[in-house]
Amino acid sequence: MPGPPRGRPAVRRRGVTAATALVFLLALLLGVPSPAASSARAGVRLEEHPCPVAVPAGTRCGYLVVPERRDVSGGQEIRVGYAVHRSTSPGRRPDPVVYSSGGPGSASLQLTGYLTQMSFGADRDVVVIEQRGGRWSLPRLDCPEIARALLTTLTTPGRTGDPAERAGMAGGAAACKDRLTRQGVDLRGYVSAEIAADVVDLRRALGYARWNLFGVSYSTRTMLMAAAADPQGTRSVVLDSFWPEGTHWYDRATAKLAGTLARLGRSWPGLPGRFAEMVRALDRTPARLETSDPLTGRPLTVVLNGDDVATVLTEAMHEVDVLPVVPALVDAVAGGDHRPLQPLADQAGGALLSHEFGLYYAVMCQDEAPANTFAAGQGPRLFTVTGDQAVCDAWRLPASPARPSVSGMTAPVLVVGGEYDPATPPADARTAAAALPAARFTEFAGVGHAVFLSSRCGRQTISAFVENPAAQAPCDPRQAEYKVWRPGELYVTPVVYRLSTGTWLPLIPFVLFFVASAAQLVAGLLGLRRGRGRRISSQLALTTVAGLAGVAFTIMAATGVYGVAAHDETVLAVGVPTSVLLYGTLAAVSAVLALAVVVRGPFRWCDALTALVGVVLVVWWFVFL
C-alpha cells in the first residue's frame, strides 16, 4: 500500500461567490456536509474516495487529510478513512451519530450498514471514522512480522514469556518498526490524543454543528477526549465497554479474567477451580491441534499449554456467543478432552488479522504500557501481556504527555457494560462513570464485550438515549438473552463442528433412517386404514410404532439442534444439548421394533433393509456422535 504524500501541499486561495457563501450558510444551518466546509480549518481537508467495503445506498466515503503530528510544524500528512450515510427521512435530525471501533487498530467502516439499522440511523446521518493508521486509512500500520512471531510462540510448548519467546516477539517488533520507519511513518503521531483530534476535525470539515459520539472499548477513550476538546460540538456521548484511563490494563489482566470466571461461576460455582485445573493439566500435557496458518493458509500445528489456552479463551470470551459454553468447555479440557479447543484454535488465527498491530502497539506502548509495572502476579501468564511488554521494550517509544481532564465536559454520557466482559469489567466502568459529569451506567446481564453487537436491549437503550438523553431504558437490562450451559447440560462432542467445517457425508445414516422410518409409518397407516374394523396384526402394529418412533426421533433431534443453532450456533462447536442426545432412545426403540418385524416373519427384504438402517443409525448416534 502506498505511503502518504510527503510535505504540506499548497492551498489555492479562491474568491467566495455569493452562491458559495449561501451554500455554506445553509450547510451550517441544516447540518449538511458541504464541499466548502473542507477548508474550515487550515491544513485539514476532505478527499472523496470509493468506499473500500460494502455500504448501504446513500453512503459516501473518503479521507480526512490531517497532519501526522499536530505538534510538528510542516510535517507530513496522513489520510484517515471515513464514511457518511445520509438519512433520507423527512424528519431528518441535524445531529448525526459518529462511531469508531476499538482495538486499538480495529477497522470501523465495515459496520456502517449495521449502524444504520439501529434506531438512531432512521432519522440521523451515520458517520463512521477509522483510526489513523487503521485498515482503511493511509498509511496502514499493519505488522505481519509481529503476527508471525506470535504464531511461532504457539507452535512450541515453551512457557509463555520465556526468553526465547520474548526474543522472537522483540525481533518481529524490530523488523516491523524498521519497515514502517523506512516508509516514512512517525509512530509518535499514532496516539489517543491525535486520534481524538481527528474526530473533532472531521466534524468541522463535514460542517456539522453538533453530533453524538459513539465509542466502544478502546475508542471510548478517544471519543471521551474528543468530547472534552469539543464541548460545543458534542450533543451526547455513548461509551460501550468503557475503558477508562488509569485502569492498568496489563497489571490487572489476570485479575480481570478471574473476575469474569467468578461471575460466570454464578451459574456453575466450580468454574474458577476447574479453570485452574485446566491450566495445570495443559501445562503437563499441552494440546496439539491442527489448524491453518492465517498468514499463508497452509496447515499449521499449534501446541497450546495452559497459559496459551487461558489467553485464547480470554480473548474468545469477548464474544457473547462463546461465553455460554465456557463452563462446559473448561470442564471437558480439564478432564483431558482437548477436542473442544479446536474451534478456538481455528478462530484464534483469524483474530490475529482483525486489527493492525502497528497501530495497536503504537498506542499501547505510548499511552498504556508506561503506567504498568508488568510485575508477575498470580494466575496464568497471558501472552497478551508478556508479548506486549516485549514489543514495547523493543520499540522504546516515549510515553504520551499527560492528557487534559474531562471534568469540564457537560454533554450527557451513557456508559453501558456487559456482565461477563473480561476486557472492560462492569465494576471498572461503573466506578469511572460515577466520576464523569452527567453520566449514568447500565449493566446488561448475560453479555460480554461490545454490548451493542450482542444485546438487543443494549441497542434499544443506546438508540433511546441518542433520541433523548434523559430517557430511561426501554427494556430490562437484567434479563439475560443467552443461556449459560453448565457441565451435564451440554454433551461435549466435536461432531457437529466437524460437519460444519467439512463434509456432510456422515449425515447419510440420519437421512436414510428418516426416509426408512417415514416409509414404515406410511405403510403402517395405510395398512390400518385398509384393515379398519378388523383385528390388527402384530406385524402391522410393530411396523407403525417403529415408523412413528423413528420419525419422532429425527424431527425432535433436528429441531433441537436447529433451535440451538438459531440462537447461538457456537454452542454446537463444543457439543449438543444432552436432551438431544437422549432422543436417541427413540431411535433405539424404532430399531428394536424393526428387528422384531423381521424376526417374527414372514421375511421381506424391505423389512430387513429398514432394520439394518435402524441399527446403523443407533450405532452412529451413540458411538460416532
Side-chain angles (χ1 to χ4, degrees):
M1 181 175 293
R6 299 179 180 274
R8 188 188 303 275
V11 179
R12 295 180 55 192
R13 297 183 178 275
R14 298 188 299 179
V16 179
T17 65
T20 302
L22 179 60
V23 170
F24 184 75
L25 179 60
L26 289 174
L28 289 178
L29 292 175
L30 299 176
V32 180
S34 163
S38 63
S39 60
R41 179 173 177 175
V44 175
R45 66 184 186 277
L46 300 180
E47 290 181 355
E48 294 286 335
H49 188 271
C51 294
V53 296
V55 293
T59 303
R60 73 172 191 271
C61 299
Y63 292 119
L64 173 73
V65 184
V66 292
E68 185 175 47
R69 290 182 61 184
R70 291 176 173 85
D71 61 339
V72 175
S73 177
Q76 70 176 359
E77 294 177 328
I78 62 172
R79 285 158 172 75
V80 179
Y82 73 89
V84 179
H85 176 76
R86 172 73 183 274
S87 171
T88 58
S89 170
R92 176 179 171 273
R93 305 297 182 89
D95 50 291
V97 173
V98 57
Y99 168 84
S100 180
S101 288
S106 295
S108 303
L109 292 186
Q110 74 278 6
L111 286 174
T112 303
Y114 183 87
L115 292 163
T116 62
Q117 296 302 310
M118 293 181 65
S119 298
F120 58 61
D123 56 3
R124 281 182 168 83
D125 293 358
V126 172
V127 181
V128 179
I129 180 172
E130 288 289 311
Q131 297 165 23
R132 54 170 52 205
R135 179 160 303 177
W136 310 120
S137 295
L138 293 174
R140 175 184 175 183
L141 271 59
D142 58 340
C143 265
E145 300 92 339
I146 294 179
R148 170 55 60 201
L150 185 54
L151 277 174
T152 300
T153 69
L154 298 179
T155 60
T156 58
R159 186 79 194 275
T160 298
D162 284 348
E165 290 194 354
R166 289 178 58 87
M169 291 294 294
C176 177
K177 184 183 179 184
D178 290 346
R179 175 177 55 80
L180 293 175
T181 301
R182 290 194 301 270
Q183 294 173 359
V185 173
D186 187 344
L187 291 173
R188 292 171 295 178
Y190 298 85
V191 291
S192 300
E194 293 283 8
I195 295 172
D198 294 340
V199 176
V200 177
D201 279 345
L202 182 62
R203 181 192 66 78
R204 293 167 175 164
L206 290 174
Y208 291 110
R210 291 198 308 167
W211 61 9
N212 305 276
L213 302 177
F214 183 6
V216 59
S217 191
Y218 163 70
S219 67
T220 59
R221 282 192 180 184
T222 55
M223 288 302 190
L224 197 57
M225 294 169 65
D230 186 28
Q232 298 303 315
T234 304
R235 175 180 174 268
S236 70
V237 184
V238 175
L239 305 177
D240 183 343
S241 305
F242 187 23
W243 181 12
E245 294 191 74
T247 55
H248 302 287
W249 175 267
Y250 294 114
D251 291 350
R252 295 189 59 245
T254 53
K256 290 188 293 185
L257 170 59
T260 300
L261 293 173
R263 290 190 293 275
L264 276 170
R266 297 167 188 166
S267 298
W268 185 46
L271 178 60
R274 197 63 169 157
F275 185 89
E277 291 178 24
M278 178 193 74
V279 172
R280 290 193 296 268
L282 287 167
D283 284 340
R284 292 191 301 268
T285 308
R288 298 182 63 88
L289 303 168
E290 301 297 326
T291 185
S292 60
D293 188 320
L295 299 176
T296 65
R298 297 174 181 172
L300 178 71
T301 301
V302 294
V303 184
L304 305 180
N305 59 28
D307 294 338
D308 297 332
V309 171
T311 308
V312 171
L313 191 56
T314 300
E315 295 300 308
M317 285 194 295
H318 290 186
E319 307 297 330
V320 69
D321 50 355
V322 174
L323 287 165
V325 299
V326 168
L329 184 151
V330 168
D331 185 63
V333 178
D337 186 356
H338 296 165
R339 297 175 302 170
L341 295 176
Q342 187 66 55
L344 295 182
D346 292 342
Q347 295 300 316
L352 291 176
L353 307 180
S354 65
H355 57 273
E356 310 311 309
F357 272 129
L359 173 58
Y360 171 83
Y361 284 113
V363 172
M364 297 298 284
C365 294
Q366 296 178 87
D367 287 358
E368 182 62 33
N372 291 259
T373 65
F374 291 95
Q378 297 295 321
R381 300 167 63 185
L382 305 180
F383 60 67
T384 47
V385 175
T386 58
D388 286 15
Q389 182 186 17
V391 173
C392 291
D393 287 346
W395 277 15
R396 298 184 181 277
L397 293 172
S400 298
R403 289 174 284 280
S405 170
V406 298
S407 59
M409 191 184 66
T410 58
V413 180
L414 172 66
V415 181
V416 298
E419 177 186 11
Y420 300 136
D421 188 348
T424 55
D428 291 353
R430 182 181 290 105
T431 301
L436 294 175
R440 73 173 192 258
F441 173 76
T442 303
E443 179 178 329
F444 291 83
V447 298
H449 202 58
V451 171
F452 84 105
L453 291 176
S454 55
S455 170
R456 179 174 54 185
C457 183
R459 291 188 291 274
Q460 293 173 349
T461 301
I462 291 170
S463 295
F465 172 81
V466 172
E467 181 69 21
N468 176 13
Q472 297 300 311
C475 49
D476 186 357
R478 297 169 299 179
Q479 295 296 319
E481 299 182 33
Y482 293 82
K483 166 188 172 62
V484 175
W485 296 83
R486 295 179 296 178
E489 295 178 334
L490 194 68
Y491 180 77
V492 175
T493 173
V495 170
V496 178
Y497 181 72
R498 289 175 180 171
L499 291 174
S500 66
T501 57
T503 176
W504 286 87
L505 289 177
L507 280 181
I508 290 178
F510 186 84
V511 175
L512 290 178
F513 182 74
F514 173 74
V515 173
S517 298
Q520 278 183 307
L521 181 60
V522 170
L525 292 176
L526 290 177
L528 293 174
R529 182 177 181 181
R530 288 193 300 267
R532 185 181 302 171
R534 291 179 289 179
R535 184 177 179 181
I536 301 174
S537 69
S538 59
Q539 294 289 85
L540 186 59
L542 290 173
T543 299
T544 305
V545 175
L548 180 61
V551 170
F553 157 75
T554 53
I555 292 176
M556 293 173 66
T559 55
V561 171
Y562 178 79
V564 173
H567 189 65
D568 183 4
E569 62 182 13
T570 303
V571 173
L572 300 178
V574 174
V576 296
T578 304
S579 58
V580 171
L581 188 69
L582 295 178
Y583 296 155
T585 56
L586 285 173
V589 169
S590 176
V592 169
L593 294 178
L595 285 171
V597 170
V598 175
V599 171
R600 293 174 65 92
F603 179 83
R604 294 188 302 176
W605 281 107
C606 60
D607 293 336
L609 184 59
T610 299
L612 178 61
V613 170
V615 172
V616 170
L617 183 281
V618 170
V619 173
W620 177 85
W621 187 257
F622 287 106
V623 177
F624 178 68
L625 185 63

